[in-house]
Amino acid sequence: MTSQLQVDGLDAGYDDLQVLNRVSFSLKPGEIGCMLGPSGCGKTTVLRSIAGFETAWHGRILIDEVEVSTPGFSLPPERRNIGMVFQDFALFPHLKVEENVRFGLHRLERREQQGRVQEMLAIVGMLAYAQAYPHQLSGGQQQRVALARALAPRPSILLLDEPFSNMDVDLREQLAREVRNILKQENNTAVLVTHDQNEAFAMADQICVMNEGSIMQQGSGYDLYHRPANRFVADFIGQGVIIPATVESPTAVKTELGLIRSEDVIDAVPGSLVDVLIRPDDIVHDDDSPESAIVVEKAFRGADFLYFLRMDNGLEVLCFAPSHHDHKINERIGIRLNVDHLVTFSRN
C-alpha cells in the first residue's frame, strides 16, 4: 500500500538554529500518526513543515506521492490539501456553527456546500447546534466544530496541534477516542502532536517518540511501553524503575528481585552486567507470596493504587493493585514478580 504522507530525512529549523535531525516516518491512507515528546523536542516543527509553514533544510516531504517540500522548494500551504485543528480551535466568533464549517467549501456549489456541512455536523454530533455561535458552546463542542470545519473540504492530511491541551484532564482522553472514531469513519490520514501519552495511546495507530529533534522510536503504544528501544523512551512512556542485573542466559537475568525469565532474547553475553526495566505491572500484589515489601508512598488512581514499595534489601519498586486493596503507609504487603517482557539496557 502506498504512503499518503512520507517524511524522509527531514532537517529543519529557524534562522541558524537546527531543530529537526533526519526525521523520517510515513503514514498509509487512513492511518493516524502521533508526534509525542516533551516541550522543545521538535514535534511542532514537524507539523509546521508538513503544513508548509517551514522549509526543509534537508530531506523531503511527500503528500499523495507528490513532493511538496525539498531544500529550496516548498509548495505553498494552501496548495497542499491540508486540514488543521489548532489548540485554540480558531473558530470565527462572528459566524454561526454551520457558517464556520462552510468556510472552506467556497469552491462547491451552494447545494453541495449545505449537504457537506449537514453531513459533517451529523458526524461530529453537532447538528442541533448549527445556528449557535462559538461562545455558546463548551470547549468539547467547539473542538468538534473545529474538527468538522477541518474535515469538510476532504483534506489529504489532517494535522492536529495539541488539540486537547485546553481541555480538562478527564475530558482529553474521551475526546481523543471520539476524534479517532470520527477520523476512522471518514478514513482520514492524520498527524497528532501532543506531550500527553494517554492522548497518543487513545488516538494514534503509530506513535513517534521525539527528543532533541530526533525520533527515538516509532511504534504502537503497546510496543513503546513494553519494548522501549532506549532509556529515554522507557522513562518517558509509562512508569518504572531501572534495577541492576547479571545475564544468566540469553533469556534470563539475575536481580535482587530474583531470577527473571522471558521469551525475549537479551542482547548481551552471559555474565555481563545490564540494567532491567521493571514496570508497576511487573510486580503483583500477592498476600500469599513469601516475598514482601514496605509501602513507602501510594497514589490513588480510581480503579487501582500505585504503590511505592521498599524491599528489605533497600530496592524500591512500583506496583499497581486494585483499589479495594487499601494498604497503609509503612504496612508490609506480599509481592511477586510477573515479568512478561524482559527489557534490558547496557550499563552506562
Side-chain angles (χ1 to χ4, degrees), residues 49-317:
S49 299
I50 296 169
F53 302 142
E54 304 299 334
T55 302
W57 290 8
H58 180 275
R60 60 182 189 154
I61 299 172
L62 293 85
I63 297 175
D64 293 328
E65 300 186 295
V66 175
E67 284 189 344
V68 299
S69 185
T70 58
F73 168 74
S74 181
L75 192 69
E78 65 272 15
R79 294 179 57 193
R80 295 192 179 198
N81 195 22
I82 292 288
M84 291 203 70
V85 178
F86 300 94
Q87 293 181 32
D88 58 1
F89 316 137
L91 296 176
F92 299 110
H94 62 288
L95 297 182
K96 296 177 181 178
V97 164
E98 67 171 10
E99 294 169 333
N100 266 281
V101 177
R102 185 183 293 118
F103 184 78
L105 301 175
H106 56 276
R107 294 179 183 176
L108 300 180
E109 294 182 1
R110 185 72 179 182
R111 182 182 298 176
E112 290 180 288
Q113 290 182 17
Q114 191 60 29
R116 183 60 174 163
V117 169
Q118 295 291 306
E119 179 186 7
M120 289 312 306
L121 288 179
I123 287 173
V124 300
M126 292 297 292
L127 203 52
Y129 298 87
Q131 298 303 311
Y133 287 94
H135 74 271
Q136 297 173 311
L137 306 177
S138 69
Q141 290 171 329
Q142 291 183 46
Q143 177 66 270
R144 293 180 181 92
V145 175
L147 182 64
R149 184 182 64 181
L151 291 176
R154 294 186 171 89
S156 290
I157 309 291
L158 180 68
L159 305 179
L160 302 108
D161 185 11
E162 303 243 18
F164 313 112
S165 61
N166 293 330
M167 303 290 180
D168 293 336
V169 174
D170 293 339
L171 188 59
R172 290 179 188 175
E173 193 173 335
Q174 174 191 334
L175 277 174
R177 290 194 300 269
E178 290 180 4
V179 170
R180 174 182 170 83
N181 290 337
I182 291 167
L183 294 178
K184 290 299 182 181
Q185 183 176 340
E186 287 284 286
N187 196 36
N188 272 99
T189 307
V191 181
L192 166 72
V193 162
T194 183
H195 63 275
D196 188 316
Q197 58 184 274
N198 291 325
E199 290 175 18
F201 292 164
M203 188 168 166
D205 300 308
Q206 291 291 319
I207 301 170
C208 296
V209 179
M210 293 194 66
N211 186 41
E212 297 182 348
S214 298
I215 293 178
M216 297 287 99
Q217 185 176 354
Q218 178 177 352
S220 66
Y222 183 92
D223 285 339
L224 296 174
Y225 183 86
H226 289 294
R227 300 183 182 93
N230 52 51
R231 292 171 187 267
F232 177 84
V233 176
D235 183 60
F236 190 78
I237 300 293
Q239 293 175 289
V241 297
I242 301 289
I243 66 173
T246 303
V247 178
E248 291 282 303
S249 73
T251 57
V253 295
K254 185 178 181 180
T255 75
E256 292 182 82
L257 292 171
L259 191 66
I260 301 176
R261 298 185 183 276
S262 173
E263 294 181 359
D264 300 312
V265 177
I266 305 164
D267 186 19
V269 297
S272 61
L273 300 179
V274 295
D275 286 331
V276 175
L277 173 65
I278 301 296
R279 297 287 197 191
D281 38 318
D282 293 329
I283 305 292
V284 178
H285 174 29
D286 183 354
D287 290 327
D288 295 326
S289 174
E291 294 291 338
S292 63
I294 300 294
V295 177
V296 179
E297 295 179 47
K298 65 179 184 178
F300 182 65
R301 300 295 179 87
D304 52 39
F305 276 106
L306 175 62
Y307 285 109
F308 298 75
L309 306 174
R310 180 180 296 121
M311 302 187 66
D312 292 340
N313 57 17
L315 190 67
E316 295 189 351
V317 294

